[in-house]
Amino acid sequence: MPVIYFLIYLLTMIGIYSLLAMSLNFQVGFTGLINFGQVAFFCIGAYASSLLVTKAGAPLILGFVGGMALSGLFGYIISIPTKSLKADYWAIATLAGGEVVRLLALNEGWLTEGPFGVMSIPQPLRWLFSKDSYPLFYLFLIAACVLIIYFVLSLLTNSPFGRNLKAIRDEEDLCLSLGKNTRKLKLQAMVVAGMVAGLAGALFAHYITYISPENFKPIETFLMWAMIIVGGRGNHLGAILGAVVIQLFNVSTRFIGGYVPLGSDTMAALRMVIIGLLIVLFLLYAPEGLIRERKKVYHLKRKHIE
Amino acid sequence: MRRLVDVVVTSILLGLLINVGAVGGAEEPVRIGLLCPITGTQAVMSEDMLTGAKMAVEETNAAGGVLGRPLELIVEDTETRPAPGMDAARKLIGVDRVEILTGGFSSGVSLPIAEYAQEQGVLYVLAVPTSPLFRDVGPCCMSITVVDSFKGKAVADFAVEDSGKKKFALIHMNNAFGQAIKQVTINRLKELGAEIVTEVDYELNKVDYKAELLRLFAKDPEAIVGTWYAKEGLVTAKQAYEMGLLNVDKVPWYVSEITSSYAEALDKIPEVLEGIKGLDPLEPGRLFSEKFKERMGREPITAFAAHYYDAVRMIAMAINFANSTDPAAVRDTLFEIDDWYRGMSYGGDKRFDEDGMQDHAQFRKVIIQNGKKVDY
């Protein structure tokens, strides 16, 4: 049943984008760090892992770990000069950072193969499975990663660390006045988010088996943004749901095309319009997204005051 | 909001179901998948390419179709981005169950698709992408267009022979296409004893190329060799002219493909381009251009329209001769029919080498005079 393979592929891509959206959500939704260069983490994870494996001959598991580590490291590095910036300047700095990473991948041909891209990236445990069963295995691998990351991030955001991050998001000055080292906290948040997105990058590279700088243009970042706008910020489940909705919308026009009296070219052009419309509608009518953040409200009991 | 999600999910499931239901039936058409950058950075050319492909389908069907059945294209958009390109290919292979793919534009988008098609045993006949990396993909990947190496070598030969100069400066776009041409051009120029004083790589879609142009002329080159797409060709030619750098009597310019580099510039600022020389694919069969004009009321703006036409015609012809749509059979037959097929692109002559790539290309030398391309 080839249709099943398409569904498996779709779910796999949704899984990868879920990780990216969760990572972005961790920065934007929980810490209030407006990252317009999210694709940089994705790019570094993908390139680091595939180059470690194809060029340095490292085992695959080391590639994945290396991808996560380097991406986390990039989160750390980009935070050093920018950590004291306010949200809007942070956005510009990260946007530039994302482009710098892509241009490095494009121009440092000795390392990254430049515009030709890295080909024939090996797949983990490929020899264990047949051509037909491997996609299913990979889907399970991705699903497992999504689940683990979901729980790890939930643990983090429910811990005192997570509450500090939300405090930064809601009122950084207040957080500072309580004696919290907000710079350090932001830095830690970026490292965590970087590692998650780096994992997504590695999973993507070893799934598609070919990467080139064209995969990591700024538009990817904005798709991830669309996901958390639709899904809801400050909420891990929202990020996953956002990834599901945006990915489904993206492919849905390929299927409705045959049943409405519009040419495939018009339908293709409509796709981006639909996503744009979706974002506008959500911002207007459901600014909190599909799933709202559950904020804990601490009620003061009257008698304590009296 | 839940209703919205319901609608999305239902529409997709419905789409899948109806597609599955469509298989079977008496006059069921033979379907091949066409990947085309309908949206995204290369969208301007997609209308031409789609038209070329549609013309090929109509002509095939008017002549009896394939295997006694009509030929049908299933067109999917790649958005000129790798991820949606992969969505498109997986949908065509998985849901529409096509066994033959064609089209394509950007090598970066088509390479992962070619690798996937190879894994699935689906034949991918490339109409436009030209990266030399396609050679290594495997037997399921074939191309009806010449890989970059031919053009790079030919333009180097032309430039050295025509100008007699020794010091060259090169300018190419920084993508797989430009860089592959550049590499071959450099090697050939060195073989011919010329010196390369500057290599400039430029990013696409910028509005200003003054810095690149200054770098290009920084070390007093005696001649320029370059490649552009329509938009970048227009901006660089205009700015070079304004900066007084475009003076072909002093420093001649050689362009590896005049039409794709200056399609827009020739239309808007022809006087600036005066005297620029370069290569061009042999006229895309007059017949094709005339039919195209009849249909669209204008000439094709890109040579790629004829590429799409040729790819579809050749596939249809191969299916008929193989008497099967089996990818392996069609592939083998393509090797046999390449001698007989008179195409519309690149002078029409097609010849596959052992890797399924084109090993033969003819170019014509042109010069821009009085705002028009004329044979040189």
Side-chain angles (χ1 to χ4, degrees):
Chain A
M1 266 305 268
V3 176
I4 295 296
Y5 291 121
F6 184 71
L7 284 178
I8 291 174
Y9 163 75
L10 198 61
L11 288 172
T12 309
M13 291 309 287
I14 286 175
I16 290 169
Y17 275 102
S18 297
L19 289 172
L20 291 166
M22 277 197 281
S23 156
L24 182 64
N25 193 17
F26 191 72
Q27 301 161 62
V28 179
F30 287 97
T31 325
L33 298 170
I34 311 288
N35 186 345
F36 279 155
Q38 171 74 354
V39 71
F41 293 134
F42 187 39
C43 181
I44 290 174
Y47 265 100
S49 180
S50 30
L51 291 176
L52 276 172
V53 175
T54 56
K55 284 210 166 172
L60 276 155
I61 183 76
L62 209 67
F64 275 79
V65 173
M68 284 177 77
L70 275 173
S71 190
L73 183 69
F74 177 74
Y76 182 82
I77 291 170
I78 199 172
S79 308
I80 295 173
T82 47
K83 63 190 171 195
S84 51
L85 296 179
K86 289 275 175 232
D88 30 6
Y89 295 101
W90 181 281
I92 295 167
T94 48
L95 178 66
E99 275 296 271
V100 166
V101 169
R102 185 180 69 83
L103 289 175
L104 277 177
L106 183 63
N107 290 302
E108 298 307 313
W110 57 274
L111 180 68
T112 62
E113 305 293 335
F116 300 110
V118 186
M119 246 175 108
S120 306
I121 302 165
Q123 298 186 303
L125 300 180
R126 180 68 183 83
W127 44 276
L128 268 178
F129 298 88
S130 73
K131 186 183 88 181
D132 296 330
S133 58
Y134 191 74
L136 200 60
F137 160 74
Y138 212 90
L139 177 60
F140 282 123
L141 179 70
I142 297 236
C145 288
V146 172
L147 269 180
I148 292 169
I149 295 295
Y150 174 78
F151 282 113
V152 170
L153 288 183
S154 299
L155 271 178
L156 277 177
T157 47
N158 289 329
S159 69
F161 171 67
R163 285 198 291 278
N164 281 336
L165 295 186
K166 287 184 207 168
I168 295 177
R169 175 193 68 188
D170 292 334
E171 194 54 70
E172 190 173 348
D173 293 337
L174 178 68
C175 198
L176 269 173
S177 72
L178 291 173
K180 306 289 179 196
N181 186 345
T182 59
R183 290 185 180 190
K184 195 172 152 201
L185 284 165
K186 283 187 197 172
L187 218 140
Q188 286 165 341
M190 285 299 277
V191 171
V192 172
M195 284 171 72
V196 173
L199 174 67
L203 285 166
F204 174 77
H206 292 277
Y207 178 57
I208 299 290
T209 71
Y210 171 85
I211 50 166
S212 72
E214 284 191 57
N215 286 87
F216 307 105
K217 291 194 170 159
I219 182 160
E220 304 294 335
T221 301
F222 291 97
L223 275 178
M224 297 170 209
W225 269 90
M227 287 167 191
I228 64 167
I229 288 172
V230 169
R233 287 163 305 289
N235 184 322
H236 303 298
L237 223 50
I240 297 178
L241 190 64
V244 173
V245 171
I246 295 291
Q247 280 296 87
L248 286 187
F249 257 97
N250 253 331
V251 291
S252 66
T253 50
R254 296 190 191 280
F255 292 97
I256 353 175
Y259 316 109
V260 289
L262 291 169
S264 52
D265 29 356
T266 322
M267 283 312 294
L270 268 179
R271 186 156 51 242
M272 277 293 150
V273 177
I274 290 174
I275 300 236
L277 196 67
L278 204 62
I279 294 175
V280 173
L281 287 178
F282 267 94
L283 287 177
L284 279 178
Y285 298 107
E288 291 192 305
L290 285 172
I291 303 181
R292 282 168 191 229
E293 181 185 3
R294 267 181 301 163
K295 286 192 178 167
K296 240 186 192 146
V297 181
Y298 298 93
H299 289 287
L300 289 175
K301 292 208 175 95
R302 194 159 284 271
K303 61 181 174 190
H304 285 294
I305 299 169
E306 282 162 0
Chain B
M1 226 13 88
R2 263 189 67 183
R3 258 183 46 210
L4 189 68
V5 179
D6 285 348
V7 169
V8 179
V9 174
T10 322
S11 67
I12 285 172
L13 289 179
L14 209 67
L16 290 173
L17 279 176
I18 298 176
N19 266 292
V20 175
V23 176
E27 263 293 274
E28 187 208 330
V30 173
R31 295 190 176 90
I32 59 175
L34 183 80
L35 294 157
C36 185
I38 299 171
T39 56
T41 49
Q42 307 298 350
V44 272
M45 300 186 218
S46 73
E47 190 183 30
D48 275 25
M49 299 191 284
L50 281 176
T51 307
K54 283 175 193 160
M55 280 163 62
V57 170
E58 280 163 23
E59 282 173 29
T60 305
N61 286 339
V66 284
L67 307 177
R69 286 145 62 188
L71 179 69
E72 189 184 306
L73 284 180
I74 304 181
V75 181
E76 284 297 332
D77 179 24
T78 65
E79 293 180 27
T80 334
R81 287 202 297 135
M86 197 48 135
D87 288 353
R90 299 242 179 185
K91 186 241 170 194
L92 285 169
I93 294 173
V95 183
D96 301 317
R97 298 198 216 171
V98 300
E99 291 176 298
I100 300 167
L101 290 175
T102 185
F105 188 88
S106 171
S107 295
V109 178
S110 292
L111 263 166
I113 295 174
E115 284 206 324
Y116 179 68
Q118 174 65 37
E119 185 196 297
Q120 296 296 315
V122 168
L123 181 67
Y124 187 9
V125 181
L126 304 159
V128 176
T130 51
S131 167
L133 291 179
F134 285 109
R135 239 176 227 296
D136 307 324
V137 170
C140 284
C141 180
M142 296 178 82
S143 172
I144 63 119
T145 180
V146 277
V147 288
D148 302 326
S149 38
F150 286 91
K151 223 181 274 175
K153 186 169 166 289
V155 77
D157 285 341
F158 179 33
V160 170
E161 187 188 313
D162 182 68
S163 69
K165 308 270 172 150
K166 286 278 170 228
K167 284 166 74 184
F168 285 85
L170 310 183
I171 177 163
H172 292 87
M173 63 282 258
N174 197 357
N175 66 8
F177 169 70
Q179 294 304 301
I181 291 197
K182 179 177 105 172
Q183 215 43 56
V184 184
T185 310
I186 290 177
N187 293 344
R188 185 63 183 168
L189 283 174
K190 283 185 181 158
E191 265 174 45
L192 296 169
E195 186 196 346
I196 290 122
V197 289
T198 324
E199 298 166 29
V200 177
D201 299 330
Y202 64 88
E203 295 297 314
L204 296 175
N205 294 315
K206 291 195 354 181
V207 287
D208 177 47
Y209 289 102
K210 288 200 188 85
E212 283 84 350
L213 286 165
L214 282 175
R215 269 204 0 252
L216 184 67
F217 282 88
K219 291 184 183 161
D220 297 320
E222 295 170 350
I224 305 292
V225 178
T227 299
W228 288 275
Y229 290 137
K231 215 164 106 191
E232 290 76 18
L234 173 71
V235 179
T236 40
K238 187 166 160 267
Q239 291 188 329
Y241 184 77
E242 285 166 359
M243 293 158 79
L245 296 173
L246 213 174
N247 181 352
V248 289
D249 297 329
K250 232 169 77 191
V251 183
W253 286 44
Y254 296 91
V255 179
S256 52
E257 195 171 315
I258 291 272
T259 308
S260 51
S261 295
Y262 290 138
E264 237 179 299
L266 267 171
D267 185 39
K268 291 184 179 144
I269 46 167
E271 63 284 356
V272 166
L273 305 175
E274 205 64 23
I276 290 184
K277 294 169 197 164
L279 300 173
D280 232 16
L282 294 182
E283 286 282 295
R286 273 226 186 280
L287 199 64
F288 177 81
S289 296
E290 275 164 23
K291 274 191 235 158
F292 189 98
K293 202 170 176 182
E294 214 171 279
R295 188 188 170 111
M296 305 297 289
R298 61 174 172 83
E299 298 265 334
I301 54 164
T302 158
F304 300 138
H307 288 224
Y308 271 55
Y309 175 89
D310 275 347
V312 175
R313 283 306 304 248
M314 282 191 93
I315 291 169
M317 191 170 171
I319 292 175
N320 270 334
F321 275 95
N323 204 11
S324 153
T325 55
D326 175 59
V330 174
R331 175 191 148 80
D332 291 343
T333 317
L334 275 171
F335 280 105
E336 285 166 34
I337 62 163
D338 60 352
D339 289 338
W340 315 331
Y341 180 76
R342 272 314 282 177
M344 296 293 165
S345 57
Y346 276 118
D349 218 5
K350 302 285 165 200
R351 208 161 69 199
F352 294 104
D353 64 13
E354 70 274 18
D355 292 325
M357 303 289 124
Q358 290 296 314
D359 75 341
H360 174 76
Q362 282 175 290
F363 304 95
R364 60 183 187 130
K365 294 169 184 168
V366 292
I367 182 167
I368 297 174
Q369 266 173 3
N370 304 322
K372 287 219 159 52
K373 288 177 292 181
V374 289
D375 281 318
Y376 178 67

